[in-house]
Structure formats: C-alpha cells, structure tokens
Amino acid sequence: MPKLNDRLDVQSISAQDVENFNANGAVCLRGIISDQWLDVLGCGIERGLKDPSPFQNVRTRPGHFGRYVTDTWVRHNFDEFRTFCDDSGIAKIAARFLGLDQAQFLFDSWIAKYPGTMMRTPWHQDTGIHGISLIIWIPLDPMAKDTSLEIVRGSHAWGRHYHSERFDDVIAAAKAEGKRAAPGQREPERIPDIDRHRSEYDIISWDVEPGDCLIVNALSVHGAPGNYSTTPVRRYSCRWMEPGALLAPHGDWIAEHLLQLSSGAPKLQGAMEPFDTTMFPVLPAKTDA
C-alpha cells in the first residue's frame, strides 16, 4: 500500500506522561492516533477477518456467547500493519518512552471481542525479552473501563517474571528442561490469581476512545475483561524493545512463532541472542529520525 504522509505527534508527549509511565508501569495518551491511521488499522483487521493468517485464532469457548478473535505477527502478513509500524511515527513514540532515539519492533497483534463475549484476556506479562520493552495498545472502538485494558499499578517494578499464559488458561511455559532464567534473573513463576484477590491489588484502567492509546511496560501485569457492551470492540497492539535486546531463555513462545513465520529453511532464534533487524527493524530509520 502507498506510504502515507501523516506522522503521529511525538511532541505532544509530556515529561509528566513519561514520569507516570515510569512510576505506574502504564500511561494513557489522549487523541494521539490520527483518524487516518485508525482507518489503516481498521482496514487491516477487517482484511484479516476475511482472510485469516496462520496465526489467527477464534478463542471463544464451546457453548459460550459472543466471539473472541485474535491474530498475531500481523505486520509480517498484512501491508496495513507494516505501513503503520514503519511510516506512522509510532516507533518514535515507543522510543520516547524507552528514553532512546530509536526502538526495535518486536511483534504485533489485534483482538476483536464481540458483544456477549464473557472470556477475559488473562492476566499476564509480555515477557520473553532480556532488555527493556513496552506495549502500545490502541483501541479502535470506544471502550468503557469495564471492557478496557487493566494494569496492576507498579507491577513492572516487582522484579518478578511470570510464565506466559495461553488464552485458554493453560500455562504455556511450564518448566522446561534446563535453565529458564536470564543471568541475574529469577526463574519464571506462576502468575498470582489476581481476579480472586482483586482488592489486594491497585488495578488501573481508563475509559478510552479511538485516537487514545496506552503505553504499557511489558513487565506490567495486565489483562482485559470480556465484552459486556452491545457493540464489538477491537484493539491493536504493537510491542517495541530497546535496540539490541536479547531473546530471554523463557521466550520460547517467540522462538516457536519465528519458526512458523520462516519459510524454506527456518532458523531457530537462540536464547540470549539479538534479534535479526530485517524481521525486527530498528525504527525510525536514521534517514527518517
């Protein structure tokens, strides 16, 4: 698709926004994603629903109401998401919160939850990286707090790494053979039962509108309710890391997906190795910075 000229306004991000992100593990930016780019993302999701990628999943449980659809690694499969990540200026926003001039793309995904979907996105961290990383979470539809992303305030500073959770509530990264922690880090643990003990945690969320976005530290424990509204809710997320970050030993789910993405002679991404900058570009390119 053609390159778009509209660039997101990184200058509108204040020092207070960055301070809130660092202190709380998440911050809400209002009205920073333009209508043009929201249209691009919406077109990408609609195309994905009509022509699913190999990574798309319908996660609605048998006998449950609603419909819950996810797709991952979409930049690699759809021009709309590639154009957004490469040309919108979203990388500059990521870099601003990383405290750097550039950010390295990791992966992206979208979720669509239709009315009546009871299944929540489970509490989890976006771990698997040895280095600093973050999530930019973009709603494409209005969401009240009871359908919006929830974050446990300050959990990014707990110094804990939790096993990845599959969205069918099964532990994805049960202890494997060998060491599962990066040097100087603890081995990943099972995540606490936050829903059963909600009153013990400081959980933050926001009413959001299209144009808003959340910046979330990847180590922040976060999740999302089902959709109790009368309209579908869609959100797109892209993950960014500091250039030169390494695949952590507990990031095996990333390595597995890379094998699926590769064609011909797939190469397994090794633990504690940097990411290939062709598949995981450092943006903005120096000529665009």
Side-chain angles (χ1 to χ4, degrees):
M1 73 183 286
K3 187 170 182 176
L4 302 177
N5 294 322
D6 185 28
R7 293 295 182 100
L8 304 177
D9 182 16
V10 70
Q11 300 302 322
S12 66
I13 298 169
S14 68
Q16 186 64 56
D17 291 328
V18 176
E19 183 177 332
N20 290 342
F21 168 76
N22 290 332
N24 299 326
V27 69
C28 179
L29 304 180
R30 299 293 187 185
I32 198 167
I33 309 297
S34 68
D35 290 345
Q36 182 184 41
W37 288 113
L38 290 172
D39 287 345
V40 169
L41 295 175
C43 287
I45 292 176
E46 291 307 309
R47 192 157 71 90
L49 288 167
K50 292 175 182 176
D51 184 17
S53 83
F55 297 101
Q56 188 174 127
N57 280 293
V58 177
R59 301 188 181 276
T60 319
R61 289 174 176 160
H64 281 219
F65 293 109
R67 189 166 182 250
Y68 178 10
V69 186
T70 68
D71 201 359
T72 311
W73 302 92
V74 291
R75 180 186 175 275
H76 297 286
N77 291 307
F78 297 93
D79 289 342
E80 291 88 346
F81 302 111
R82 179 183 295 273
T83 299
F84 177 76
C85 290
D86 294 6
D87 298 337
S88 69
I90 196 70
K92 283 192 175 183
I93 293 176
R96 176 82 165 89
F97 285 93
L98 291 171
L100 302 169
D101 294 328
Q102 293 176 295
Q104 188 168 8
F105 174 81
L106 179 56
F107 76 98
D108 58 347
S109 62
W110 57 257
I111 291 176
K113 288 184 180 179
Y114 292 82
T117 302
M118 305 298 289
M119 184 179 175
R120 67 171 291 128
T121 304
W123 294 101
H124 64 287
Q125 296 171 316
D126 282 16
T127 57
I129 300 302
H130 186 53
I132 303 170
S133 59
L134 56 77
I135 311 146
I136 302 181
W137 186 93
I138 301 170
L140 275 71
D141 302 289
M143 295 184 201
K145 278 187 177 184
D146 61 1
T147 56
S148 186
L149 190 70
E150 299 179 315
I151 300 103
V152 180
R153 190 197 308 266
S155 54
H156 65 300
W158 286 353
R160 295 182 178 275
H161 292 259
Y162 296 108
H163 287 304
S164 298
E165 294 274 355
R166 293 199 192 277
F167 285 1
D168 58 6
D169 294 335
V170 176
I171 297 295
K175 289 187 177 180
E177 296 179 3
K179 193 172 182 180
R180 297 296 305 272
Q185 292 182 345
R186 296 180 180 182
E187 192 166 298
E189 309 168 41
R190 183 164 186 163
I191 201 160
D193 189 345
I194 292 170
D195 283 325
R196 182 171 291 184
H197 304 282
R198 285 181 71 94
S199 63
E200 299 176 15
Y201 297 93
D202 184 4
I203 297 172
I204 55 176
S205 62
W206 293 267
D207 296 319
V208 292
E209 296 287 337
D212 300 339
C213 75
L214 305 184
I215 313 295
V216 183
N217 188 301
L219 290 179
S220 292
V221 175
H222 58 283
N227 181 8
Y228 307 107
S229 73
T230 57
T231 57
V233 290
R234 302 161 299 160
R235 55 262 211 175
Y236 169 79
S237 300
C238 46
R239 285 79 170 174
W240 301 85
M241 55 189 170
E242 60 179 323
L246 309 177
L247 177 67
H250 58 279
D252 48 357
W253 64 274
I254 297 176
E256 290 168 6
H257 278 80
L258 286 176
L259 284 175
Q260 289 179 263
L261 277 172
S262 303
S263 58
K267 176 184 180 298
L268 180 64
Q269 169 77 33
M272 301 308 290
E273 290 183 359
F275 290 85
D276 175 71
T277 55
T278 302
M279 186 172 284
F280 304 94
V282 175
L283 298 167
K286 286 296 186 183
T287 55
D288 297 334

